[in-house]
Amino acid sequence: MKKSVAIVGGSIAGLSAALVLASAKNAELDFEITIIDDDKADLKAVAIYNVPLFPKGIQGKEIIEHTKKQIDDLLKVKYVSGTISEISGSKGDFSLKGASQEIKVEYIILATGASRFEISGLGDIVKPHELMNKPGKIRLAYSGRQEVKPGIYVGGLASGVTTMVTCAMGSGAEAACAVLSDIKCAVSIVHDTPTSRA
């Protein structure tokens, strides 16, 4: 079966979610993933010194490009430049509308960051971000496994985690695992061995 997922936000949380989903592709499950990004990621302006396996001082833009390549080695993802202004529908039949596009998907992961959330259709889900020491930062309300509403999950800083790359990556990966678990109707985790991708 093939499942369609839109990830709103193409920084490290959104890319981590995409990587987990791409790595879950197998003979029974495939994905059509669309990443919508406005190219305003804070990560592009920083260098990283405290993330395991990343070279010391790696630039954020290099992390983004490397992760995109890693995803591409597993699954071809569609990248859309722009913003989403409205989400409507329900699990299995969502519509995301932007300035010049409409995307239909079964699942959504919101990895929009903590600076703003300007998407209508989801109600009053914007809350103050309590783990950032900058004024005006936001998170999105959710329950359970980062579920904003059935079929819509939040990852990264928008989920309220501490503003660190490793926290955003973990939260994005957890959102993807929640999607996989919903699809399979059981707790689902993707593990590999040295020979599983040979």
Side-chain angles (χ1 to χ4, degrees):
M1 81 179 127
K2 183 175 272 194
K3 294 292 182 179
S4 56
V5 182
I7 299 173
V8 184
S11 191
I12 196 61
L15 293 175
S16 294
L19 182 59
V20 169
L21 293 174
S23 71
K25 178 182 173 182
N26 58 35
E28 292 83 36
L29 181 62
D30 195 358
F31 290 96
E32 182 179 295
I33 299 173
T34 303
I35 297 176
I36 305 105
D37 186 53
D38 63 5
D39 201 34
K40 294 181 181 176
D42 292 341
L43 181 64
K44 289 187 174 184
V46 301
I48 305 297
Y49 291 85
N50 60 357
V51 179
L53 302 178
F54 285 1
K56 181 173 109 177
I58 188 170
Q59 301 291 307
K61 59 187 176 185
E62 293 176 74
I63 294 170
I64 289 171
E65 290 310 311
H66 178 81
T67 308
K68 283 182 175 180
K69 183 183 180 316
Q70 194 173 352
I71 294 165
D72 195 48
D73 288 343
L74 297 169
L75 181 78
K76 299 302 179 206
V77 170
K78 181 178 180 183
Y79 293 93
V80 174
S81 179
T83 59
I84 296 299
S85 56
E86 180 184 353
I87 294 173
S88 60
S90 57
K91 184 169 83 171
D93 187 26
F94 289 114
S95 176
L96 297 90
K97 294 179 183 168
S100 61
Q101 66 208 0
E102 182 172 0
I103 300 167
K104 299 274 197 178
V105 294
E106 296 166 275
Y107 290 91
I108 299 171
I109 296 175
L110 301 169
T112 54
S115 294
R116 67 200 174 287
F117 188 80
E118 298 164 342
I119 300 172
S120 66
L122 299 176
D124 184 20
I125 62 169
V126 176
K127 306 296 178 196
H129 196 301
E130 297 167 357
L131 298 179
M132 291 186 77
N133 56 3
K134 295 179 181 176
K137 297 300 181 181
I138 59 101
R139 68 172 180 84
L140 304 181
Y142 66 85
S143 61
R145 289 183 78 180
Q146 297 170 213
E147 191 173 48
V148 173
K149 66 181 268 186
I152 301 180
Y153 300 84
V154 59
L157 299 186
S159 73
V161 296
T162 303
T163 177
M164 290 183 69
V165 169
T166 48
C167 296
M169 291 169 66
S171 176
E174 175 59 24
C177 288
V179 169
L180 289 172
S181 297
D182 189 78
I183 291 168
K184 295 184 178 185
C185 299
V187 174
S188 182
I189 308 160
V190 181
H191 290 299
D192 279 320
T193 66
T195 59
S196 64
R197 304 251 176 219

